[in-house]
């Protein structure tokens, strides 16, 4: 049981849908504003960032927003933006962006665990921390499985094409769970730091609420670009890429299933 | 620029994919456990529910989980579950489930505003409340626009088919934002009620964390069933339904664009 999508483009398969660049530009504007506003929040209201002091905690939200939200989101958009480049180049860029995101997120994780250790705080008791560990673990597993199936030469075509939809679904889900976890963390920070002042509409609370809405909007914008059926990478480019992968496979020493 | 999906099913177009019923059953098990566990949390640790007392607040989380999470999620699954019924029947069921969800959510909103008023608490200062008002507003607008385009006879076919992908995308996004807002609310309740006891792994905190993970899992399960390409309603049934809609249109006095 399967379904085939035939693309009936007006122009050649190599053309870029007219509205796509504007949506991508808008998503990048949202993403960069998100990172800048996280920096502004930490700088203006939380004393800035330093590794060897109480300010070490502040490295956590900044790294997580840059790594697990902005870079992870952009890694998902690679196939929409680079529509006509060789599939292999696009794949490598997709994988590399995810590596950067993972490394930055790892620094963010080390920051919070190290800060908790120095302060003698308990670890992993909150819903934010449970979701965070879950999402980081899933992200790492997804990267490993994605690498073994799509970048490491040798996975049979049949396995690749059966795994591809799962990879896309879990990729989008892990990204959305990352956004949700960031929202939970922001909320936690606000309630810990502001307490009763939160309900008095303190400037920090309002700024952080706007930051939360921006997080949700960036997630929505990435999801929209990713799921629009007529913005998918053209099938002609996919087919060229498939035959190139096949060449790589047959020239290498991994027989695969072919 | 458009794309056409041809369904190449092994059996007749009327067949149900073999794994679909199990996934739907699993999603319902998750959803019902979610509602039951919300009730258990409120009953065991928050004193239960009553309208005319301090317990009025507790009506808010229960109504929101039943309305904006469980019923909204199930309304999205209607087209996957009722695959061969007349399109119009399925549409009416989809619209009705959303009406129930909206009404129950409205009761939940009245509960919290009424509780705040009686207690003299500030309204709409938190990220949870901002997201909540946004999601309720978007849900209401989505219902109104969906009703005018798809159920109210008279919308031209061309408009319907152009709006359909937007309706599906925003429907899924509003559902995911509802799940995210519920997570924020749960986190808020935990930090308000447990305070420092949260980090001591109090039973209430652990139960509520599990409830949060269940919320995320229910969202993920609904999204999976909704987005799996080979589980879409068969196109043959869609075409039959289209011609039935056309019959309704031409028999009625709304000319549409035909």
């Amino acid at each position: 049981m399967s379904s085939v999508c035939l693309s009936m483009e007006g122009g050649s398969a190599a053309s870029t849908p007219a509205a796509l660049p504007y949506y991508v530009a808008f998503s990048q504007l949202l993403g960069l504003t998100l990172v800048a506003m996280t920096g502004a929040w930490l700088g203006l209201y939380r004393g800035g960032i330093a590794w060897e002091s109480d300010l070490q905690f502040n490295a956590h939200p900044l790294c997580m927003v840059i790594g697990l939200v902005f870079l992870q989101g952009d890694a998902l958009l690679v196939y929409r933006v680079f529509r006509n480049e060789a599939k292999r180049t696009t794949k490598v860029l997709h994988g590399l962006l995810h590596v950067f995101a993972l490394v930055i997120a790892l620094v963010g994780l080390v920051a919070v665990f190290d800060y908790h250790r120095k302060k003698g705080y308990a670890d992993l008791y909150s819903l934010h921390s449970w979701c965070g560990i879950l999402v980081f673990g899933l992200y790492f597993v997804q990267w490993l499985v994605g690498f073994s199936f799509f970048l490491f030469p040798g996975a049979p075509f049949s396995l690749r094409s059966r795994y591809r939809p799962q990879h896309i679904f879990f990729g989008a889900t892990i990204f959305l769970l990352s956004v949700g976890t960031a929202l939970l963390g922001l909320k936690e920070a606000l309630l810990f730091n502001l307490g009763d002042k939160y309900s008095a509409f303190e400037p920090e609370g309002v700024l952080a609420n706007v930051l939360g809405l921006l997080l949700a909007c960036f997630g929505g914008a990435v999801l929209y670009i990713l799921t629009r059926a007529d913005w998918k990478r053209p099938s002609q480019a996919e087919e060229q890429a498939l035959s190139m992968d096949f060449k790589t496979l047959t020239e290498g020493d991994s027989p695969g299933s072919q």
Side-chain angles (χ1 to χ4, degrees), chain A:
Chain A
M1 215 170 284
S2 67
S3 60
V4 180
C5 282
L6 298 178
S7 192
M8 304 203 302
E9 310 269 332
S12 81
S15 70
T16 298
L20 178 57
Y22 297 100
Y23 278 79
V24 171
F26 179 67
S27 75
Q28 296 312 293
L29 190 69
L30 278 177
L32 291 171
T33 311
L34 184 61
V35 173
M37 203 182 253
T38 308
W41 168 53
L42 296 169
L44 284 170
Y45 297 106
R46 300 280 116 228
I49 293 174
W51 195 260
E52 295 294 343
S53 77
D54 279 7
L55 299 176
Q56 186 182 21
F57 175 83
N58 293 348
H60 176 68
L62 189 67
C63 286
M64 289 329 204
V65 166
I66 294 176
L68 282 191
V69 179
F70 183 57
L71 281 182
Q72 185 182 174
D74 274 11
L76 304 189
L77 295 185
V78 153
Y79 291 101
R80 300 296 171 276
V81 175
F82 301 96
R83 307 174 64 75
N84 305 304
E85 285 70 14
K87 181 80 172 274
R88 195 151 188 91
T89 318
T90 321
K91 262 189 197 179
V92 169
L93 183 61
H94 177 75
L96 270 180
L97 275 174
H98 279 310
V99 171
F100 289 145
L102 261 169
V103 170
I104 295 172
L106 192 62
V107 174
L109 271 185
V110 170
V112 72
F113 278 104
D114 207 32
Y115 172 80
H116 276 196
R117 190 181 50 78
K118 286 174 188 163
K119 288 277 191 181
Y121 291 163
D123 285 319
L124 298 177
Y125 64 86
S126 75
L127 180 56
H128 166 67
S129 61
W130 287 26
C131 288
I133 287 295
L134 179 73
V135 93
F136 188 81
L138 287 175
Y139 192 39
F140 185 60
V141 170
Q142 165 93 347
W143 192 90
L144 278 184
V145 179
F147 181 83
S148 344
F149 274 56
F150 296 127
L151 270 173
F152 195 75
F157 279 154
S158 59
L159 217 61
R160 280 189 184 186
S161 62
R162 252 188 301 160
Y163 172 56
R164 186 172 290 112
Q166 312 294 332
H167 182 76
I168 295 169
F169 173 77
F170 282 102
T173 303
I174 291 168
F175 170 66
L176 292 173
L177 198 55
S178 302
V179 172
T181 306
L183 287 173
L184 285 176
L186 182 66
K187 182 94 203 188
E188 196 170 271
L190 284 172
L191 290 176
F192 280 154
N193 296 322
L194 291 176
D196 287 344
K197 285 191 290 179
Y198 194 16
S199 63
F201 292 89
E202 284 277 308
E204 179 179 354
V206 175
L207 179 89
N209 285 359
V210 174
L211 183 56
L213 291 183
L214 261 177
L215 268 165
C217 289
F218 179 71
V222 169
L223 199 67
Y224 185 80
I225 297 170
L226 207 63
T227 54
R228 229 180 107 154
D230 54 343
W231 288 357
K232 295 239 149 74
R233 209 179 134 98
S235 52
Q236 197 175 313
E238 300 272 339
E239 281 157 18
Q240 282 169 357
L242 271 178
S243 55
M244 280 180 58
D245 279 357
F246 181 67
K247 210 173 143 218
T248 315
L249 271 177
T250 46
E251 279 170 8
D253 51 3
S254 302
S257 69
Q258 299 296 317

